[in-house]
Amino acid sequence: KKTMRKSVRGIVLSTSRRERRCVSINNKRTYHGSAAVYGGHRRDYEYHIDKAWNNRYTPFDFTPENYIKVKQIIAKYPEQYERAAAIPVLDLAQRQCGGWLPLTAMQKCATILGVPDMVIFEVATFYTMFNRTPVGKYHVQVCTTTPCQLGGCGSDIILKTVIDHLQLSGPGDSSKDDVFTLSEVECLGACVNAPMIQINDDFYEDLTPETTIKILDDLKAGRDVKPGPQTGDRRNSNPNGPKTCLFDEQGMPNFRDLEAVDRQWQEQLAKKK
């Protein structure tokens, strides 16, 4: 019986009347050859395309100071479970590279942790905290999930304010001076302070278009910007404004007398006997 075989991106396809199977060459998956997964995110988060500034020959190595930090991170995990340190080690590499992860940085992390490259590629492409393309000095992440859309002026207005003020084409774009990069992200866990944005490691909450523009201008000018709520009188997630309830002094709650309950139960048992 005739069998037709052909190779597609490193995958051997074998088809016949009785046999239909897909066999990976040498039982290996490659980052360059694996099929892309298309979703709601930008495609460069899903697969890698070699570029002059990001390919397998791009030089990368941890600095001596960061090698010490890598050892300290790995020491927190049991032996033979070093792969559990993938996220903090990748985060350290990303910070060293100025906010993004080149291909060779991920390969270096895989070598240090003693795992196949694909294990690290899977982590870096799954978590949106890792950027696989260069970002600006300030990475502006605007949360647009439901609480931020409904809170205050709404995240849609904040997102439009950032786009218009920085003259961007939309999420994923960087300003002309490469100072800012904009991303639209899922919930960042500050729903009670909606709408909010994350810039690098800091949260800026309870935003209005005016306070958002002021934050961007102050960062660009090198001025200090206070993270947290931008309303002026609110602290963290405390109520906004004075108290509206619980003015009376609260006493101790009434607890049941468990000993009396036990005695009553014992008396009921005695009567049944």
Side-chain angles (χ1 to χ4, degrees):
K1 296 180 179 179
K2 294 183 180 180
T3 299
M4 179 179 65
R5 298 172 64 87
K6 59 181 179 179
S7 177
V8 180
R9 286 191 180 182
I11 303 297
V12 176
L13 302 178
S14 176
T15 59
S16 66
R17 291 183 178 179
R18 295 186 179 180
E19 182 182 21
R20 295 180 183 273
R21 59 193 176 97
C22 178
V23 183
S24 177
I25 294 179
N26 297 328
N27 197 28
K28 293 182 179 180
R29 295 155 57 199
T30 64
Y31 189 35
H32 291 72
S34 299
V37 178
Y38 296 99
H41 299 288
R42 291 160 47 197
R43 292 184 177 180
D44 54 0
Y45 282 100
E46 311 297 347
Y47 62 94
H48 174 79
I49 298 177
D50 278 344
K51 295 173 180 160
W53 43 268
N54 186 19
N55 54 65
R56 66 189 72 186
Y57 305 108
T58 302
F60 173 83
D61 199 2
F62 283 108
T63 63
E65 296 79 12
N66 281 343
Y67 265 118
I68 296 175
K69 293 181 181 179
V70 168
K71 291 180 180 179
Q72 293 172 345
I73 292 172
I74 295 176
K76 298 178 181 179
Y77 300 88
E79 294 184 3
Q80 299 181 353
Y81 291 95
E82 290 85 357
R83 66 190 300 166
I87 290 179
V89 172
L90 279 171
D91 180 68
L92 185 63
Q94 178 167 274
R95 293 176 185 274
Q96 179 177 314
C97 294
W100 73 289
L101 281 172
L103 178 66
T104 48
M106 293 185 281
Q107 292 174 327
K108 174 61 71 173
C109 293
T111 302
I112 291 175
L113 298 177
V115 298
D117 292 352
M118 180 55 69
V119 172
I120 300 300
F121 297 154
E122 288 172 341
V123 173
T125 54
F126 180 82
Y127 293 100
T128 55
M129 64 181 284
F130 297 119
N131 306 308
R132 295 200 12 260
T133 54
V135 296
K137 180 180 180 181
Y138 298 108
H139 186 195
V140 182
Q141 303 174 69
V142 181
C143 174
T144 57
T145 43
T146 305
C148 278
Q149 286 183 334
L150 300 178
C153 65
S155 58
D156 290 344
I157 294 178
I158 299 300
L159 181 63
K160 185 178 185 303
T161 298
V162 176
I163 292 174
D164 293 344
H165 186 66
L166 299 179
Q167 298 180 354
L168 306 175
S169 61
D173 193 13
S174 296
S175 58
K176 296 179 180 179
D177 54 8
D178 289 329
V179 174
F180 296 98
T181 296
L182 174 64
S183 295
E184 183 179 0
V185 298
E186 299 299 321
C187 183
L188 292 172
C191 306
V192 73
N193 296 94
M196 59 83 62
I197 60 176
Q198 178 180 344
I199 302 179
N200 293 350
D201 292 331
D202 295 321
F203 280 11
Y204 300 91
E205 305 155 337
D206 299 314
L207 297 173
T208 63
E210 294 75 21
T211 56
T212 302
I213 292 174
K214 185 177 185 305
I215 290 170
L216 298 175
D217 289 343
D218 287 346
L219 289 174
K220 185 175 181 178
R223 293 188 289 266
D224 292 334
V225 181
K226 182 182 178 181
Q230 303 298 307
T231 54
D233 58 348
R234 189 177 188 185
R235 182 179 178 185
N236 300 330
S237 59
N238 289 348
N240 192 10
K243 291 176 62 175
T244 58
C245 62
L246 301 177
F247 294 105
D248 299 332
E249 183 177 351
Q250 302 297 311
M252 292 295 293
N254 295 323
F255 294 102
R256 298 177 65 187
D257 186 349
L258 297 181
E259 293 182 357
V261 173
D262 183 64
R263 288 195 301 268
Q264 184 180 5
W265 182 66
Q266 294 293 344
E267 292 174 357
Q268 291 177 354
L269 287 179
K271 290 179 180 179
K272 291 181 180 180
K273 293 181 180 180

